[in-house]
C-alpha cells in the first residue's frame, strides 16, 4: 500500500481512521489511547469542535490569498501571540523547521549589521531543530545529519545545560551572534535543564549582545504547564519559534521576535507563499481561544504530576528505571537499556507512546486527557515496563 511513498519513515503497521479527544480508532475499529498527540501537535486532542468549526467556517469563506495582500486573521493571530508571549511581532510559515530557518536568518542579518561577515550561532548537543539544511545544521544529532554534508557553516555545538561551555565558546569565537536553545530537549530524550538555565543564557546574551533564540516548537502552546516554557523563568527571549501544536494539526509555524530582533527582517528579506494563510490562522486562533477559555494549561502540571507519581509508585523498586522526568505533560521515562520495541507492544495493547534517544519513553498526551485515561495510560505502561526484557 505504501510502495509509492518514499521510505523516509519506519512506520508502525496501523492506520487510523478517526479520533475523538485522546482516543483514536484504526481501520479495523480497534480503539487506542493516544499518549503522543501526533508528536505534541494535537494538544486539544482529535476532532476538537472549536478547531473543526473554525476550519469549516473559514474554508467556506476564504482559504488563501497570499502575502501580497493584507490577511486579517494573520494580523489577529499575530496580535494574540504577542499578547500571550510578550513578543513584538511574528513571521508565519508552515512548519517548525521553517520557523527555525527564519530565526537563523534573523541571527545572520543581525551579525552582518554589526560588521560580522561570518556570523556563528551557538546550539546544543542532542538538540533537534528540523530537517531543512539550516535547521539540520543547527541540530546537534549526528545521526540525522549523516550523509547530507556539506552542512551550513556558522554553528558551534556545546553540551546542553552547561553554561561554562557556552562561555568558553563565546570566548573562543568573536563571530558568535546568537544562542539557539530548546527549553527542554524533546527529541534528545526529554532533557530538562537546571531551573535557571534559561535565565543564565538570557544574562549571557545581554552581556555579550547576542540574540537569545528559544525553540518552543515542542514545548510551546501549553505543553509544559505555561503557554510557553520560557514563562517558567520570567524572561523574554529575542526570538521564539513555534509550530507543532499551534494549529492542532493544521500546518502552521511562527517565528516571533522582540526588541532589536523584531526590526531585522524587512520587505523582501524573507517570505512564504502559504505562511499565515486564513485557513491555518483560523485553526490557530481557535486553539489559542480554547486554551484561553479553559484551565487546560494550568491542569497540564497537575496531570503530569499524576502520571509520573503513579508510574513511579507502580514501578517502585524496579532497578531498570533511571529517571522519570517531566514538566507539565512533557514526560520522559528513561530506562537503563534501549526500549524501542515497547512502542509496538504498547500499540498492541491500544496505547500510543514514543521512544526517543533509544532508551527514553516519551509521553506527550493531549492536554485534555482525563483521569480515567490517565489511569489506563499508567496501568498499561507500567505493566509493559515490568514485563520488558532488559
Ligand atoms: C519537531 C521539532 C522541530 C521541527 O518541526 P517540523 O514541523 O517537523 O519541521 C524543530 N524543533 C523542535 C524542538 C521540534 O520538536
Amino acid at each position: 500500500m505504501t510502495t509509492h511513498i518514499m521510505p523516509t519513515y519506519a512506520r508502525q503497521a496501523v492506520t487510523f481512521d478517526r479520533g475523538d479527544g485522546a482516543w483514536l480508532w484504526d481501520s479495523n475499529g480497534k480503539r487506542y489511547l493516544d499518549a503522543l498527540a501526533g508528536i505534541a501537535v494535537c494538544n486539544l486532542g482529535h476532532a476538537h469542535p472549536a478547531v473543526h468549526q473554525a476550519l469549516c467556517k473559514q474554508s467556506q469563506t476564504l482559504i488563501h490569498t497570499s502575502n501580497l495582500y493584507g490577511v486579517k486573521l494573520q494580523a489577529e493571530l499575530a496580535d494574540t501571540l504577542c499578547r500571550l508571549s510578550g513578543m513584538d511581532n511574528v513571521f508565519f510559515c508552515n512548519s517548525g523547521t521553517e520557523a527555525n530557518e527564519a530565526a537563523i536568518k534573523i541571527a545572520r542579518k543581525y551579525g552582518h549589521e554589526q560588521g560580522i561577515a561570518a556570523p556563528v550561532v551557538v546550539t546544543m548537543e542532542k538538540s533537534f531543530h528540523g530537517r531543512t539544511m539550516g535547521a539540520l545544521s543547527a541540530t546537534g544529532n549526528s545521526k540525522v545529519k549523516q550523509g547530507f554534508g556539506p552542512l551550513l557553516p556558522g554553528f558551534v555545538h556545546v553540551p546542553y545545560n552547561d553554561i561554562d561551555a557556552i562561555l568558553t565558546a563565546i570566548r573562543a569565537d568573536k563571530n558568535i551572534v546568537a544562542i539557539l536553545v530548546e527549553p527542554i530537549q524533546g527529541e534528545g530524550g526529554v532533557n530538562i535543564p537546571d531551573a535557571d538555565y534559561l535565565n543564565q543564557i538570557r544574562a549571557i546574551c545581554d552581556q555579550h549582545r547576542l540574540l537569545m533564540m528559544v525553540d518552543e516548537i515542542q514545548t510551546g502552546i501549553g505543553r509544559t504547564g505555561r503557554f510557553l516554557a520560557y514563562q517558567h523563568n520570567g524572561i523574554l527571549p529575542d526570538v521564539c519559534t513555534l509550530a507543532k501544536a499551534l494549529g492542532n494539526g493544521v500546518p502552521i509555524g511562527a517565528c516571533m521576535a522582540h526588541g532589536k530582533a523584531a526590526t531585522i527582517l524587512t520587505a523582501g528579506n524573507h517570505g512564504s507563499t502559504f505562511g499565515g494563510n486564513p485557513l491555518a490562522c483560523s485553526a490557530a486562533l481557535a486553539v489559542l481561544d480554547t486554551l484561553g477559555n479553559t484551565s487546560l494549561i494550568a491542569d497540564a502540571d497537575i496531570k503530569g504530576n499524576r502520571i509520573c507519581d503513579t508510574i513511579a509508585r507502580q514501578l517502585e523498586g524496579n532497578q531498570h528505571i533511571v529517571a522519570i522526568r517531566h514538566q507539565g505533560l512533557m514526560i520522559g521515562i528513561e530506562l537503563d537499556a534501549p526500549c524501542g520495541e515497547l512502542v509496538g507492544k504498547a500499540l498492541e495493547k491500544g496505547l500510543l507512546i514514543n521512544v526517543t534517544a533509544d532508551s527514553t519513553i516519551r509521553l506527550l498526551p493531549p492536554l485534555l486527557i482525563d483521569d480515567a485515561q490517565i489511569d489506563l495510560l499508567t496501568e498499561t505502561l507500567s505493566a509493559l515496563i515490568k514485563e520488558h526484557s532488559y
Side-chain angles (χ1 to χ4, degrees):
M1 224 178 83
T2 58
T3 50
H4 295 288
I5 292 175
M6 205 177 278
T8 61
Y9 304 99
R11 297 174 196 267
Q12 297 294 325
V14 63
T15 306
F16 298 107
D17 280 353
R18 68 188 175 92
D20 182 9
W23 298 116
L24 281 169
W25 284 267
D26 72 11
S27 32
N28 301 316
K30 179 179 168 185
R31 190 178 75 168
Y32 299 79
L33 177 63
D34 184 1
L36 193 56
I39 321 179
V41 167
C42 303
N43 280 9
L44 297 181
H46 303 284
H48 193 280
V51 178
H52 157 76
Q53 281 156 21
L55 287 170
C56 284
K57 181 163 164 258
Q58 195 54 44
S59 64
Q60 281 177 331
T61 318
L62 193 62
I63 291 180
H64 179 87
T65 53
S66 93
N67 287 307
L68 298 174
Y69 312 102
V71 180
K72 202 165 66 192
L73 291 183
Q74 188 182 123
E76 211 179 299
L77 178 58
D79 288 352
T80 307
L81 281 173
C82 288
R83 178 171 52 77
L84 292 171
S85 66
M87 304 300 274
D88 287 335
N89 58 19
V90 189
F91 172 83
F92 288 105
C93 50
N94 315 286
S95 65
T97 200
E98 283 175 79
N100 284 332
E101 294 293 335
I104 293 162
K105 286 180 75 171
I106 289 173
R108 285 192 164 189
K109 189 152 181 257
Y110 172 71
H112 283 280
E113 284 173 359
Q114 294 169 64
I116 296 174
V120 172
V121 178
V122 175
T123 68
M124 306 307 152
E125 292 171 7
K126 298 187 185 167
S127 63
F128 183 77
H129 298 295
R131 302 283 194 164
T132 53
M133 288 312 300
L136 184 68
S137 303
T139 290
N141 173 348
S142 51
K143 228 166 62 183
V144 300
K145 301 205 262 192
Q146 191 75 43
F148 300 108
L151 296 167
L152 250 63
F155 296 97
V156 53
H157 297 89
V158 302
Y160 191 61
N161 196 26
D162 186 340
I163 291 296
D164 286 340
I166 293 176
L167 291 171
T168 304
I170 291 170
R171 255 180 253 121
D173 191 342
K174 60 181 186 343
N175 290 330
I176 287 172
V177 295
I179 300 174
L180 173 62
V181 63
E182 296 161 88
I184 297 173
Q185 288 186 329
E187 304 305 308
V190 191
N191 302 321
I192 303 178
D194 294 342
D196 68 345
Y197 182 54
L198 292 185
N199 302 78
Q200 294 214 46
I201 291 179
R202 178 68 272 175
I204 290 170
C205 288
D206 288 341
Q207 194 188 340
H208 297 270
R209 296 185 33 237
L210 314 179
L211 296 183
M212 177 176 185
M213 311 203 297
V214 176
D215 180 342
E216 292 255 13
I217 290 162
Q218 190 160 149
T219 50
I221 325 292
R223 172 58 50 191
T224 72
R226 293 288 175 95
F227 178 62
L228 298 166
Y230 69 69
Q231 293 171 331
H232 290 285
N233 298 79
I235 54 146
L236 265 188
D238 301 295
V239 174
C240 172
T241 53
L242 295 175
K244 290 203 163 89
L246 181 55
N248 207 58
V250 176
I252 180 167
C255 177
M256 308 192 289
H258 178 258
K260 59 185 181 294
T263 59
I264 291 169
L265 295 183
T266 56
N269 277 173
H270 201 39
S272 166
T273 298
F274 290 137
N277 85 14
L279 190 74
C281 290
S282 73
L285 281 163
V287 168
L288 300 183
D289 186 56
T290 303
L291 290 175
N293 290 318
T294 59
S295 60
L296 284 171
I297 295 181
D299 292 349
D301 201 41
I302 300 166
K303 292 176 181 180
N305 282 333
R306 182 178 164 124
I307 292 170
C308 292
D309 291 351
T310 307
I311 290 176
R313 188 161 20 83
Q314 287 166 339
L315 294 174
E316 203 178 331
N318 186 312
Q319 76 272 26
H320 296 295
I321 309 292
V322 174
I324 300 177
R325 299 185 283 269
H326 85 105
Q327 190 165 31
L329 281 168
M330 186 161 181
I331 301 169
I333 302 161
E334 185 179 346
L335 306 184
D336 66 358
C339 57
E341 65 265 41
L342 282 177
V343 172
K345 287 185 179 158
L347 200 64
E348 279 172 33
K349 299 222 180 302
L351 175 66
L352 270 61
I353 60 167
N354 174 248
V355 167
T356 187
D358 295 332
S359 55
T360 298
I361 299 164
R362 180 171 51 159
L363 305 178
L364 300 161
L367 305 186
L368 41 61
I369 189 170
D370 65 27
D371 284 352
Q373 290 167 332
I374 286 175
D375 290 346
L376 178 63
L377 163 63
T378 52
E379 271 164 44
T380 309
L381 187 59
S382 291
L384 283 167
I385 293 171
K386 275 182 204 162
E387 290 160 18
H388 183 56
S389 44
Y390 294 85

